[in-house]
Amino acid sequence: MKNYKIAVIPGDGTGPEVIREGRKVIDAAAKKFGFKLQYTDYDLGGVRYKRTGEILPDSVLDELRKVDAIYLGAIGDPEVKPGILEKGLLLRLRFELDQYINLRPIKLYPGVDCPFKEKGPKDIDFVVVRENTEGLYTGAGGFLKKGTKDEVAIQVSINTRKGVERCIRFAFEYCRKRNRKRKLTLCGKTNVLTFAFDLWERVFYEVGKEYPELKSDYAHVDATTMWMVKNPEWFDVIVTDNMFGDIITDLGAMLQGGMGVAAGGNLNPEGVSMFEPIGGSAPKYTGKNVINPLAAILAAAMMLGNLGEAKAAAAIEAAVVKTIQEDMNCMDAGKMGISTSEVGDRVAKYL
Ligand code: IPM
Ligand code: MN
């Protein structure tokens, strides 16, 4: 029997609550589909940082390099200055483990309310492939004359040929495997960012020649946000840089019914990948058993799919759809009609 080593980082705020439900569901899937999950918990996040000053000790990072996958709840603590945990933990994990793809499916499930009344599940079903190790996120830049009237702040977008190419290649491969509309859209800003997206565009059309059966399309990022609302059915797979991917996937989360259902995978196709609900730590709902755990459950399903348990992943998705239709009023915390733990119970039961 396959035995997967999973590192669990429940993290801050509602992270532990949603991770608990995710584990409940994948444990049920493991039983049903005949594999084992062996968890190791890591108490990384705001609480540990405030107690010990540690964010991500090198010894922990070395352990994380050896697991089959990482399951992450949420990072972010209102008592810690913004940027410290995000950079020191979440971004450091993405970078050190070279998780160069952030895969974010935007899928409206039947029964979920969408803010755009005329759009339904058949219209909203696409995937964003976000570059996850470069762009504006590397921390390249700095200050000159900080705190003076002549202050200069520089934040540089790093785009390497290798980083751009591996991301675009992944997106073409993914689009081919997905086999839906067979269209890959590059989202950029070639009219203004004439260096960064010149590279992206050249690589996009060059690599695209290897996939003649797929349509290659381009949209500026501002237009992309417009089409996502107006004509989301046009999209199949979107590939974009780190910053634009961050922004358009929050918009995407709203299209699919909110942060309560939005899951993502930080993928290193040749190494250790990490799966997380894309919403934050939601401090105001912490400990109340009202947060929606579906995003964490769907992230766990992605993790199983990535480990090679495609049947288990599909079964969880189907059980999530059934739970939404049978038991839930709404995707928002506090308004679901059932509690966080009940959502997990139902999904596990319908499996
Ligand atoms: C996300 C988050 C992170 C990001 C933050 C917390 C650093 O917004 O996963 O989208 O910007 O990537
Ligand atoms: Mn984000």
Side-chain angles (χ1 to χ4, degrees):
M1 195 184 285
K2 284 235 168 100
N3 184 1
Y4 302 107
K5 282 196 246 101
I6 311 291
V8 183
I9 308 174
D12 301 318
T14 50
E17 288 167 68
V18 297
I19 289 293
R20 198 177 308 129
E21 302 315 309
R23 276 174 67 159
K24 191 187 279 175
V25 171
I26 54 178
D27 280 339
K31 243 195 215 134
K32 175 161 184 196
F33 291 93
F35 56 89
K36 278 201 166 138
L37 297 165
Q38 186 188 323
Y39 303 105
T40 310
D41 279 286
Y42 291 91
D43 69 337
L44 303 170
V47 175
R48 176 155 173 188
Y49 174 68
K50 286 186 285 185
R51 198 181 64 232
T52 69
E54 286 172 316
I55 302 178
L56 176 58
D58 290 341
S59 59
V60 173
L61 186 58
D62 285 338
E63 287 177 38
L64 294 176
R65 290 183 200 285
K66 293 178 208 132
V67 299
D68 294 311
I70 303 170
Y71 186 34
L72 174 80
I75 300 300
D77 186 315
E79 290 170 20
V80 178
K81 192 176 154 221
I84 295 187
L85 297 169
E86 291 86 342
K87 278 186 156 179
L89 188 47
L90 184 61
L91 298 183
R92 181 148 180 248
L93 282 170
R94 290 175 182 172
F95 292 164
E96 293 269 9
L97 299 173
D98 204 20
Q99 293 162 340
Y100 59 87
I101 299 297
N102 197 327
L103 194 68
R104 297 188 161 180
I106 314 290
K107 189 168 178 179
L108 179 66
Y109 289 107
V112 175
D113 251 345
C114 169
F116 307 108
K117 291 301 168 206
E118 66 281 17
K119 300 295 174 189
K122 64 171 196 333
D123 303 307
I124 299 172
D125 184 1
F126 59 95
V127 178
V128 176
V129 175
R130 166 186 174 189
E131 201 291 322
N132 210 31
T133 53
E134 300 193 339
L136 282 165
Y137 274 69
T138 63
F143 294 109
L144 288 173
K145 304 180 187 172
K146 190 176 178 185
T148 73
K149 279 194 191 131
D150 298 322
E151 176 160 358
V152 181
I154 301 167
Q155 195 98 39
V156 183
S157 177
I158 304 282
N159 297 265
T160 67
R161 168 78 203 202
K162 175 183 150 192
V164 170
E165 185 173 336
R166 68 183 180 175
C167 178
I168 285 175
R169 198 171 285 284
F170 177 93
F172 274 111
E173 287 289 329
Y174 185 84
C175 186
R176 177 148 82 186
K177 271 197 224 105
R178 182 173 147 88
N179 200 19
R180 295 277 170 79
K181 298 196 180 80
R182 302 172 74 77
K183 176 164 110 179
L184 180 64
T185 304
L186 171 64
C187 163
K189 190 73 186 172
T190 52
N191 51 349
V192 175
L193 305 180
T194 50
F195 309 126
F197 281 100
D198 185 87
L199 173 62
W200 276 83
E201 197 181 32
R202 273 184 284 122
V203 174
F204 183 67
Y205 288 113
E206 193 183 308
V207 174
K209 286 194 196 124
E210 296 169 36
Y211 302 85
E213 78 281 19
L214 303 178
K215 284 185 241 39
S216 305
D217 190 19
Y218 172 82
H220 294 319
V221 62
D222 46 351
T224 302
T225 61
M226 179 176 69
W227 301 131
M228 278 173 70
V229 172
K230 210 168 171 302
N231 295 96
E233 68 279 3
W234 287 356
F235 294 115
D236 179 18
V237 180
I238 298 177
V239 63
T240 192
D241 82 347
N242 209 341
M243 188 80 258
F244 291 165
D246 178 48
I247 297 165
I248 69 170
T249 54
D250 265 26
L251 175 60
M254 292 304 114
L255 284 177
Q256 66 183 132
M259 287 301 180
V261 269
N266 301 275
L267 310 183
N268 177 343
E270 297 87 36
V272 180
S273 298
M274 176 167 77
F275 300 83
E276 54 172 344
I278 80 171
S281 56
K284 80 173 180 197
Y285 297 115
T286 302
K288 299 203 166 96
N289 203 24
V290 297
I291 195 82
N292 188 347
L294 286 182
I297 292 169
L298 289 164
M302 270 180 97
M303 176 168 77
L304 295 188
N306 207 261
L307 290 168
E309 302 292 342
K311 277 194 192 136
I316 294 173
E317 213 185 345
V320 164
V321 170
K322 183 152 177 173
T323 305
I324 292 168
Q325 289 178 321
E326 306 271 318
D327 305 300
M328 295 174 76
N329 295 335
C330 165
M331 296 298 109
D332 295 344
K335 300 182 194 151
M336 299 187 293
I338 54 176
S339 66
T340 305
S341 49
E342 281 167 335
V343 174
D345 290 343
R346 304 290 162 95
V347 178
K349 184 178 103 189
Y350 295 140
L351 259 180

